[in-house]
Amino acid sequence: MIHGNFAIGACFALVLALQARPALCVEVTVFEKLGGSAAIEHICNELVDRMVADPRGRRPFEDVRLDRLKKSLAEHLCHLTGGGCVYHGDPIPVVHAGLGITQAEFYILVEHLRGVLDDMSVTPGARNGLLALLAPFKRDVVEGRH
Amino acid sequence: MQSPVLSWGLLMLLAGSSGAPALEVEVTDSEGTPLADAVVYLPEMAPPTLAEAAVVDQVGKRFRPLVTAVARGAAITFPNSDNIRHHVYSFSPAKRFELKLYHGVPAEPVVFGEAGVVTLGCNIHDSMVAYVRVLDSGVYGISDAAGRVTLPSVAGTVTRLRVWHPFLAGEEPEQPITSGSHSVQVAVPLDRALKAQIEAVIR
């Protein structure tokens, strides 16, 4: 217990002193658990490709520049999972405004995300960590009643 | 009795129609098929001193219209008739800009101060391509579906017209206007590969 507190304290001190990513910290980020930048990029590419290939999922992606979307999504996920990226895109509610995304479409995306993570054989901790970080965005993505 | 305003308008109309007739231009491709969206202009006519205004709208993830012609110095407004966001940009040397368009948030007009061709795209949507031909001329028109353009009468003051089209192959064709002629035909060679490529995108 004392050791744990000391470790977290040291971690904070390091971050403050070095202005660096907490790579030396005891707590491992979801970003690292997933496998870093390459894994995040793979997740985003696969997720978008699977949504577009799915007749139930493709509607919100019609006419959308998928290469740019994948990059922006990867940047956001890197930021969200503690990878230290700066997200340059618009706020998530603005990005989805007017697209009329239904609850069903949102859950199709979750289904595909789970599929991608399963296929990558990420640890349950990494998978649940990512899903937990993304869950609050449902209210920003789905239009109308949630 | 007519109101003074109406009489004045009628007078202008009569003055227009009773003066020198307009110049009718018929634009085709090199096979003789009528060509829409061609910008026909008179390079000898100076741009107006007062800046023009034009509108390029965003409708159903497409630009409307595909081709806009303006005189140098014009201010173009980009409304957003979609309820989703757009991010209009141009990398063209004649005017580089980017403009984020959110639903219900009017954006400042963009001033096109340099003559040239400006290709518009949207960072978010593949399906959006449009063109602004900024002209060093104050007299111009865009051909309709039948390839026809009517230019105001400039009898005796100009000797030639020029045509630009987004799928133009090579230099802009130039056509002499002989004094006293009221109709001109002009053929525009097209880059078929470019035409197919853009039409597939904006379909």
Side-chain angles (χ1 to χ4, degrees), chain A residues 96 98-103 138-146:
Chain A
H96 296 86
L99 287 172
I101 294 173
T102 63
Q103 187 153 278
K138 183 176 171 235
R139 78 178 86 93
D140 296 335
V141 170
V142 174
E143 206 129 306
R145 287 188 304 118
H146 300 140

Side-chain angles (χ1 to χ4, degrees), chain A residues 59-68 88-91 94-99, chain B residues 60-62 83-85 87 89 100 102 121-128 201 203:
Chain A
R59 189 201 56 86
F61 298 90
E62 275 166 12
D63 295 325
V64 169
R65 273 196 182 180
L66 300 179
D67 51 345
R68 183 180 176 277
H88 293 92
D90 279 331
V94 175
V95 167
H96 296 86
L99 287 172
Chain B
K61 292 181 258 180
R62 304 292 186 279
N83 55 3
I84 52 169
R85 76 201 167 116
H87 189 177
Y89 71 86
K100 288 190 170 186
Y102 299 106
C122 172
N123 267 324
I124 300 164
H125 302 107
D126 275 331
S127 52
M128 296 176 69
V201 164
R203 74 211 172 270

Side-chain angles (χ1 to χ4, degrees), chain B residues 69-123:
Chain B
V70 289
R72 182 165 47 77
I76 298 185
T77 308
F78 293 87
N80 182 2
S81 295
D82 284 339
N83 55 3
I84 52 169
R85 76 201 167 116
H86 291 295
H87 189 177
V88 180
Y89 71 86
S90 154
F91 294 134
S92 303
K95 183 70 190 182
R96 293 176 201 274
F97 72 99
E98 60 173 307
L99 190 62
K100 288 190 170 186
L101 300 175
Y102 299 106
H103 177 62
V105 185
E108 285 292 305
V110 178
V111 175
F112 292 71
E114 203 180 310
V117 176
V118 179
T119 305
L120 305 175
C122 172
N123 267 324

Side-chain angles (χ1 to χ4, degrees), chain B:
Chain B
M1 280 297 281
Q2 285 175 337
S3 75
V5 173
L6 189 61
S7 304
W8 190 77
L10 202 62
L11 194 71
M12 292 297 284
L13 198 68
L14 287 169
S17 59
S18 62
L23 183 67
E24 303 288 341
V25 185
E26 203 183 319
V27 188
T28 66
D29 63 12
S30 28
E31 274 86 59
T33 309
L35 184 63
D37 298 319
V39 176
V40 179
Y41 66 100
L42 305 177
E44 293 153 303
M45 300 299 286
T49 44
L50 272 178
E52 299 177 343
V55 174
V56 177
D57 203 352
Q58 337 295 308
V59 186
K61 292 181 258 180
R62 304 292 186 279
F63 287 111
R64 293 282 181 270
L66 173 67
V67 174
T68 300
V70 289
R72 182 165 47 77
I76 298 185
T77 308
F78 293 87
N80 182 2
S81 295
D82 284 339
N83 55 3
I84 52 169
R85 76 201 167 116
H86 291 295
H87 189 177
V88 180
Y89 71 86
S90 154
F91 294 134
S92 303
K95 183 70 190 182
R96 293 176 201 274
F97 72 99
E98 60 173 307
L99 190 62
K100 288 190 170 186
L101 300 175
Y102 299 106
H103 177 62
V105 185
E108 285 292 305
V110 178
V111 175
F112 292 71
E114 203 180 310
V117 176
V118 179
T119 305
L120 305 175
C122 172
N123 267 324
I124 300 164
H125 302 107
D126 275 331
S127 52
M128 296 176 69
V129 181
Y131 304 88
V132 180
R133 178 69 175 92
V134 186
L135 298 162
D136 220 348
S137 165
V139 179
Y140 57 83
I142 299 178
S143 63
D144 61 17
R148 279 194 284 266
V149 187
T150 304
L151 295 182
S153 165
V154 284
T157 56
V158 297
T159 60
R160 58 204 163 92
L161 60 75
R162 214 175 266 169
V163 185
W164 175 85
H165 189 274
F167 310 140
L168 171 70
E171 294 293 299
E172 293 181 347
E174 198 168 271
Q175 189 72 31
I177 304 169
T178 51
S179 136
S181 73
H182 305 306
S183 67
V184 182
Q185 285 190 324
V186 59
V188 178
L190 297 183
D191 182 334
R192 297 284 166 188
L194 177 65
K195 181 176 187 283
Q197 187 195 329
I198 299 298
E199 283 178 348
V201 164
I202 60 177
R203 74 211 172 270

